[in-house]
Each structure stands twice: as C-alpha cells, then as structure tokens.
Amino acid sequence: MDNAGCNKFDPMGAAFDEARAAATRGEVPVGAVIVRDGRLIASDGNRPRQLRDPSAHAEMLAIRRACEVLDDERLTGCDLYVTLEPCTMCAAAISFARIRRVYFAAYDPKGGAVENGVRFFDQPTCHHAPEVYGGIRESEAATLLRGFFEGRR
Amino acid sequence: MDNAGCNKFDPMGAAFDEARAAATRGEVPVGAVIVRDGRLIASDGNRPRQLRDPSAHAEMLAIRRACEVLDDERLTGCDLYVTLEPCTMCAAAISFARIRRVYFAAYDPKGGAVENGVRFFDQPTCHHAPEVYGGIRESEAATLLRGFFEGRR
C-alpha cells in the first residue's frame, strides 16, 4: 500500500481492496487489514482455496503476517479492519493475538462469532476481548459478497 | 514416525510424543496427530512462541500440514488425536477441515471449546461436527501439563 504513511490512509478501504482481490482469485471476497498508530502493519484477503488451507481466512493471514512483521506473538495496540464479521476461528485468534479493536463491515448470521453465533468475546473462556465496531460500510460489503455468490450460481 | 505403516501405530501415543517435544521447546505441551485409514498423515506440537504465531497450536499446524500433504483443503475421512481438548479457534478449524473424528486426552475447562466453553460442535453456526471422544489417557495428559506449569513457577 503506497499510501500507508499518509494521513488519508483508509484501513477499511484497504480491506475492501483485499476483498475485491480475493474475489478475482475465486475466493469468498473478504479482506483484512491490521494497523498500529495509523500505520499499515499487514493486510491480506481470503486464500483457503489457493493455499489449500481451511484456516487461510483473511484475518488469520493478516494476523500471522503482522506477528512476523512485529516479531511478536502479541499484537498489542493493533487494530483489525475486516469486511465481514469474524468467524469462530478468527474471533479466537483475534483474542489470542491481543488485538485492541476490531472494525468489521457486514454482519454474518450464518458464520459470524462476534455479534452472532457463539459471541466469543462475551464468553468466560475468552481471556482478551477487543473493542468491537460492527456494520461499517455494511451495505457495500453485503453487495460485494452477494455479487460474488450470484456470479457463481 | 518410523512405525507409521505398522499395525501397532498408536496415534495418541504419537500425540503425546509431540506434546513432550513441545515442552522441551518451552511450549505448552500439547501434541496433535492426523491419521487416515490407520496411516499417519501429519503431526505437530504447539509452536506459538517459537513461530511468534498465536495461531500455531498443535491442531492448527497438523491440519495445515495434512492439507498440504493431501493437497486438499478438506480432510475428509481423517481423524485427529490431540492431548488437550481443542480451543475455540482449533474447534472451528477442525470443523472447516471436515475432520471425521476427534480423540482428545485432557479436558480444558479454562480454554476448551468442545465439552467446555462455547461447545462449538453443538452450535447452529457449526456446519460440520466431527464425532468426539474425550478423556483418553486423561490423567497422563493432565500430569504432563501440570508438570510443565509447575516447572515454570
């Protein structure tokens, strides 16, 4: 991202760019971006099909990359922007990584685990809960996902 | 594993070997093994500290490795043996990978997500649930974990 150091860096916009790139690879269009102090640390899109890895969700790849970049298994002070409500696997990984804030776009009643499903961050077995802001640019994310699935019928 | 093709191959024993190897690396001693048709497909132990990756639980590493070995993002017909009840992240990854059966040793009231916590496989947002067999060689696994944590005080 060549605008990473710029005041106008738009993390959710970058997450949408990653989501659209995922769609062009034939992946479910979800993108994720991790920032700290306004700087881009890592970003990626869904790649389970490409990598033959069921854990290769956008959030997981971005978290793993950010840990590599920062050489730390804890992403203290980092915020995650993602175009879809994180699933159960990703919600737990977000908690383990000690992400500070999660901003997500579309809600996911079928597979989400933040405001839907197991609501992991509200559970006693969740030992770190980020602040959560859902529904940002929700309709844009929903349109992107709907377009992708309609195109595959 | 040089006895992988032998009739006496003991997957849970191999998972314990991985758990003990994890302890010698300073990791929480948890090991996981994936088998199909009685053959070892992949095995690994916990490596979050070594890899600086909060997602590098034994089960996740074994699943990712098995997918690589089989060149498939679904581990249909594969069974997972693990020395500790899977956490929320790993339970969801097990579901995504379409693991057939999960055999685990110690129960984990603090972090488990199968018989404890969010009981993910019983939830409506879980779209594939494996058969589960918990408590196998439970006291041996509990002793291993307790010894590790006592040694670190």
Side-chain angles (χ1 to χ4, degrees):
Chain A
M1 303 298 305
D2 55 7
N3 60 348
C6 159
N7 286 337
K8 289 188 180 172
F9 176 56
D10 167 18
M12 191 57 95
F16 271 95
D17 290 344
E18 290 285 359
R20 282 183 286 265
T24 65
R25 294 191 300 267
E27 305 276 2
V28 176
V30 180
V33 165
I34 291 173
V35 300
R36 190 162 73 178
D37 301 328
R39 283 186 49 243
L40 175 71
I41 305 294
S43 68
D44 213 334
N46 257 343
R47 298 183 189 270
R49 274 145 205 84
Q50 178 199 344
L51 300 180
R52 305 271 195 282
D53 176 356
S55 80
H57 287 193
E59 302 94 310
M60 297 291 280
L61 297 175
I63 286 171
R64 285 163 52 197
R65 176 72 183 138
C67 290
E68 201 179 309
V69 168
L70 300 174
D71 193 28
D72 197 331
E73 69 168 306
R74 294 193 174 179
L75 300 176
T76 311
C78 289
D79 301 331
L80 174 79
Y81 293 77
V82 56
T83 59
L84 184 64
E85 179 182 351
C87 76
T88 305
M89 173 182 73
C90 293
I94 287 164
S95 173
F96 292 150
R98 305 291 194 277
I99 295 273
R100 182 178 62 170
R101 294 183 190 128
V102 172
Y103 300 84
F104 71 83
Y107 291 86
D108 184 4
K110 283 188 188 168
V114 177
E115 303 287 348
N116 289 285
V118 304
R119 298 173 191 272
F120 183 61
F121 301 138
D122 300 332
Q123 301 304 321
T125 50
C126 173
H127 307 298
H128 165 86
E131 291 173 33
V132 173
Y133 304 88
I136 298 159
R137 293 168 65 171
E138 183 183 359
S139 65
E140 184 181 347
T143 301
L144 181 61
L145 284 158
R146 201 164 44 237
F148 176 80
F149 286 112
E150 282 173 1
R152 285 163 67 98
R153 268 185 208 150
Chain B
M1 303 298 303
D2 55 6
N3 60 348
C6 159
N7 286 337
K8 289 187 181 172
F9 176 56
D10 166 19
M12 190 58 94
F16 271 94
D17 290 343
E18 289 286 0
R20 282 184 286 264
T24 66
R25 295 190 300 268
E27 304 277 1
V28 176
V30 180
V33 165
I34 291 172
V35 299
R36 189 162 72 180
D37 302 327
R39 282 185 51 243
L40 174 72
I41 305 295
S43 69
D44 213 335
N46 257 343
R47 296 184 191 272
R49 274 146 206 86
Q50 179 198 342
L51 300 180
R52 305 272 196 282
D53 175 357
S55 79
H57 287 192
E59 303 94 310
M60 296 292 281
L61 296 174
I63 287 171
R64 286 166 52 199
R65 177 69 184 141
C67 289
E68 201 180 309
V69 168
L70 300 174
D71 193 29
D72 196 333
E73 68 167 309
R74 294 193 174 181
L75 299 175
T76 311
C78 289
D79 301 331
L80 174 77
Y81 293 76
V82 57
T83 59
L84 184 65
E85 179 182 350
C87 76
T88 305
M89 174 183 72
C90 293
I94 286 163
S95 173
F96 292 150
R98 305 290 195 276
I99 296 274
R100 183 178 61 169
R101 293 183 190 129
V102 172
Y103 301 84
F104 71 84
Y107 291 87
D108 184 3
K110 283 188 189 170
V114 177
E115 304 287 348
N116 288 286
V118 303
R119 298 173 190 271
F120 183 61
F121 301 137
D122 300 332
Q123 301 305 321
T125 49
C126 173
H127 306 299
H128 164 86
E131 293 173 32
V132 173
Y133 305 88
I136 298 159
R137 295 169 62 171
E138 183 185 359
S139 65
E140 185 181 345
T143 301
L144 181 61
L145 285 158
R146 201 164 43 236
F148 176 79
F149 286 111
E150 282 174 0
R152 285 164 66 98
R153 267 185 209 149

